[in-house]
Each structure stands twice: as structure tokens, then as C-alpha cells.
Amino acid sequence: MFEFPVAASSERSAYVAGTFDTKGRELSFLRQCIEKLGLRVVTVDLSTSGKPSPASVHPREVARHHPQGESAVFSNDRGSATAAMALAFEAFLATRRDLGGIISAGGSGGTSMATQGMRALPIGVPKMMVSTMASGDTRPYVGPSDICMMYSVTDVQGIHRISERVLANAAHALAGMIAHPPVESTVTKAAIGLTMFGVTTPCVQAVTHRLEEACDCLVFHATGVGGQSMEKLAESGLIAGVIDVSTTEIADEIVGGVLSAGPTRLDVFARHALPYVGSCGALDMVNFGAWDTVPERFKGRRLYRHNPTVTLMRTSADECRAIGEFIAAKLNAMRGPVRFLIPEGGVSAIDRPGQPFHDPEADQQLFASIERAFRSGPDRQLQRLPLHINDEAFAEALVAAWHAVSRTPADARRA
């Protein structure tokens, strides 16, 4: 094992977390690697077996952070016990003021528990997960966070020539991230989030072109995790507001597509009073994989082959009504200034006359349901515009709306 100099810090520690009853040797190896590099280490035991623990933070101390207390964690059912410990670990990490970064190693259960806590940490805090699950679908573990997942190659069981190398690499990576935090960005412009889909690209590109001199425009692909990532940055205080052009993930959540961002989409703006500008981008479609993956119950619907791996389904009038009600309820709960713009001429590139998803009746149900339930106010406005979402004039209206909601009193006096 090689060593390199790392400036130790009395304020920031590397946390090594996991199930010390079954992965004690491997987690202790991680601790030793990091300590040799000069960093202080805090070990956290997530075991639910009740066995004695060698960690500096006992599992019962973690469990006490569960909303129902430690008795909710230590049950006879392994599944409920690990779920409860994951929740307790998430709450536990929120109380730690010396956390400089975190690392874990484990199988499916350990990965699930450790990454739940990691996902709750702000973007930018170093997070490393060595896992047997890292060579498959990692979305349930990583979600919208910046967790680094490293495949363990062998099972996380024992210290041998392969696990030594993999675990040491992970430990050194975490130590490097903690000891050498990223250079502060020289960009001084306010960062804003924008959501884009292929069928709303002209709109978002036009908006970013108009705002790029004044704003640091961060564009997110509205594929489920894209919307979650944008909202994770909002939760972490890393963006000043959003222009949510493409709310299409809500259609997948309501109807059952594969690109849902979950039922909590938009909830962050009920917790944080950030400026919000939104629209109906790509709410005419629900996403599935390749043609033969479309669920049987939808085979008779209006389907469109977007490419060999993506099949789109046109949302019906009833579905559009439900989508609109969902959006209006979320808009009504927002604490900051709100502008929501409705493009009456169509919500995507394939929702206009002559295109496969042109359906004025379904669109009208969407627009009417939003308008009917939306609660307006001095700084909460709904605008219906006789434009297509990809019209230049609609992009200009979105930019004007952003200027209206993001303007500070000082800005207004200078205007």
C-alpha cells in the first residue's frame, strides 16, 4: 500500500459506516487505510443483530435517532430492522458537525442502509460506497446524489489480494476528496436549474441563450433522476431557483411510465421559498423502454417509437386532467414566488398540427385542470399564451417570468 501526505484536520473526520457484526474486518481495513493517511476516523456500526460492537458509535446510539426510538430498529424481522436502521442513520448523520466524508462497504442490505444516509447529505460532501451491487442498476442507491459506487469484484467477505486493492483504492479516494476539497468556483453568477427533454430542447436552449450572461444555467434531463437531481441542489442551497420547462416526469408518475421522479416532485419548493417558473413541457407523453416493453394494458394506445430503446405513449384527456390537478396542488403549496406558463399551441415538438401527439382536447383538459385549481396571488400567477412551447416568443415569456420572480427590491429600484 502506498502512502501520500494528507493534511489532517481537527474539524473534519472520515466516517466509516456499515454492519460491523458481518463486515467488521473489511470496515476496519478501511479505517486503517484512512488513518495511515493522517485523517481522523469515526466508525459507525449499523448492525441490527444486537452483538457487541467495536465501533466508536454503537448501533444503539444510531438507533436512538429513529423517530420512534431504538425499539423500532431492533426487531425480530431483518427486513424491517434494516429499513428502520437506515432511517435512523439518515437522521443521525444530520446531527454530525465533524463529517468530512463517508465510506462504507457491504452487500445489498449494507448498501441500502449506508446509501440512504449518504443521499441525505448535501451535494459535494464526499461519499464512497464499495458494494457487490455496483455493477448493476445503481439508481436505487445513488438516486439524485453524488455517491461514488465502486464494485467490490469479490463479495465483501475477508481481506485478500483483491479486496485489499479495491478497499484501499476506495479509502484513498475518500481521503483525497476530504483532504483536497474542490477549488471554489470562480463563477459568481446565480445558478438556476432548468429541465429539458428532447422534445423541448429548442425552448430550453433559447432560454439559456438569453440568460447565460446573467445566470449560471444548469440544465437537467427530465428522466426521473434529472428532476430529482435538480431538486436535490435546491434542497442543498446550491441553486437560486428554477425554470421548470419540462415537467414530463409527473406524467410518468401519474400514468405509470419509467421516467417518474416520484410523488414528491416539486415538494422542495414547499420547504424552501425559491423562485419558481414552470410550464407543461412534454406532458403529452409517458415513457417506456423498447416497443416490446410497453405494458399489455397500454398496447392499444397511441404509441410512438422515439428511438429503438424509447417508446412514447400519448397521455389521454383523463390522464391530463389528473396531471393538471397534481401540478396545481404542488404549485399551491409553494412558498416562493411562482409563475406557471401554459403554451396553448402545444407542449412538445410532436404536439402540434400534423405531428403524432397533436391532441387539442387532451391538452385543453390539462390546461383547464391547472387553471381551475391554481390559487393566484400578487406573486403567484398563471399565464396562458397562444404559443407553442418551442416558439421563440414562449422562451422570451419564460425569461420575462424569471426576471419577475427573481428580482430583489434593490434590483427593482434600479430597473
Side-chain angles (χ1 to χ4, degrees):
M1 183 190 306
F2 66 89
E3 295 187 16
F4 56 92
V6 169
S9 168
S10 61
E11 297 180 355
R12 296 195 302 156
S13 300
Y15 276 53
V16 177
T19 53
F20 276 79
D21 59 346
T22 60
K23 308 298 181 189
R25 285 186 66 195
E26 299 79 15
L27 296 167
S28 296
F29 181 81
L30 289 172
R31 173 183 59 78
Q32 292 163 10
C33 289
I34 296 169
E35 286 179 338
K36 285 181 179 179
L37 297 173
L39 287 177
R40 185 157 60 92
V41 177
V42 175
T43 51
V44 183
D45 195 347
L46 304 181
S47 305
T48 59
S49 63
K51 294 180 180 178
S53 173
S56 46
V57 179
H58 193 279
R60 291 197 177 276
E61 182 179 343
V62 180
R64 281 195 288 272
H65 289 79
H66 191 280
Q68 279 82 53
E70 65 178 83
S71 61
V73 175
F74 299 105
S75 65
N76 293 325
D77 181 76
R78 183 177 184 274
S80 62
T82 55
M85 179 59 89
L87 184 61
F89 182 51
E90 178 181 344
F92 164 80
L93 287 181
T95 69
R96 310 305 287 187
R97 296 294 172 260
D98 64 336
L99 190 149
I102 185 169
I103 190 169
S104 184
S108 59
T111 302
S112 179
M113 286 191 290
T115 55
Q116 180 164 333
M118 293 179 186
R119 288 194 301 274
L121 294 171
I123 298 294
V125 174
K127 314 165 187 73
M128 176 69 69
M129 184 73 228
V130 182
S131 174
T132 59
M133 308 302 290
S135 190
D137 179 10
T138 60
R139 181 177 176 180
Y141 308 114
V142 177
S145 188
D146 56 343
I147 297 170
C148 300
M149 286 195 74
M150 180 179 288
Y151 182 47
S152 59
V153 183
T154 64
D155 202 348
V156 181
Q157 185 60 49
I159 300 300
H160 46 74
R161 66 180 66 191
I162 301 301
S163 64
E164 273 187 335
R165 180 166 295 189
V166 172
L167 292 171
N169 281 344
H172 292 158
L174 184 80
M177 288 187 279
I178 293 174
H180 303 286
V183 176
E184 287 295 321
S185 175
T186 58
V187 179
T188 58
K189 299 178 290 187
I192 62 172
L194 303 97
T195 49
M196 187 170 80
F197 222 40
V199 291
T200 62
T201 295
C203 175
V204 178
Q205 288 181 335
V207 170
T208 56
H209 177 70
R210 286 164 170 78
L211 289 176
E212 59 190 357
E213 286 191 13
C215 300
D216 193 17
C217 296
L218 314 181
V219 179
F220 298 85
H221 195 190
T223 56
V225 73
Q228 291 173 343
S229 296
M230 181 182 72
E231 295 187 1
K232 176 70 173 178
L233 293 184
E235 190 80 67
S236 300
L238 295 175
I239 56 176
V242 303
I243 303 179
D244 200 0
V245 175
S246 310
T247 46
T248 183
E249 293 156 324
I250 294 169
D252 282 56
E253 170 63 21
I254 297 296
V255 182
V258 298
L259 298 185
S260 168
T264 61
R265 181 74 160 87
L266 303 179
D267 284 353
V268 67
F269 305 107
R271 297 189 297 273
H272 301 275
L274 293 172
Y276 179 87
V277 175
S279 189
C280 306
L283 287 175
D284 57 328
M285 58 188 62
V286 177
N287 296 265
F288 298 105
W291 187 268
D292 58 2
T293 69
V294 176
E296 192 63 36
R297 67 183 185 280
F298 294 134
K299 288 294 177 65
R301 295 281 297 274
R302 194 189 315 184
L303 302 175
Y304 176 74
R305 282 187 171 93
H306 184 63
N307 60 47
T309 59
V310 175
T311 305
L312 308 177
M313 180 179 77
R314 208 327 172 170
T315 45
S316 69
D318 286 343
E319 289 162 353
C320 282
R321 187 182 307 111
I323 293 165
E325 291 169 354
F326 178 99
I327 290 173
K330 301 286 185 164
L331 295 174
N332 291 340
M334 291 182 181
R335 293 172 51 204
V338 174
R339 298 291 186 276
F340 197 85
L341 279 58
I342 292 177
E344 295 177 327
V347 301
S348 83
I350 58 174
D351 176 27
R352 59 165 78 236
Q355 292 298 314
F357 278 7
H358 182 55
D359 188 340
E361 180 185 351
D363 285 349
Q364 181 55 35
Q365 289 296 327
L366 171 66
F367 305 153
S369 64
I370 296 173
E371 188 173 38
R372 187 164 48 245
F374 180 78
R375 293 201 299 266
S376 61
D379 215 7
R380 298 175 44 77
Q381 298 177 16
L382 183 74
Q383 297 175 274
R384 292 185 65 144
L385 301 170
L387 300 167
H388 186 271
I389 198 165
N390 287 330
D391 289 346
E392 287 279 337
F394 192 76
E396 291 171 1
L398 287 167
V399 171
W402 171 253
H403 288 317
V405 298
S406 62
R407 179 180 296 174
T408 65
D411 291 331
R413 285 195 297 271
R414 288 195 297 269

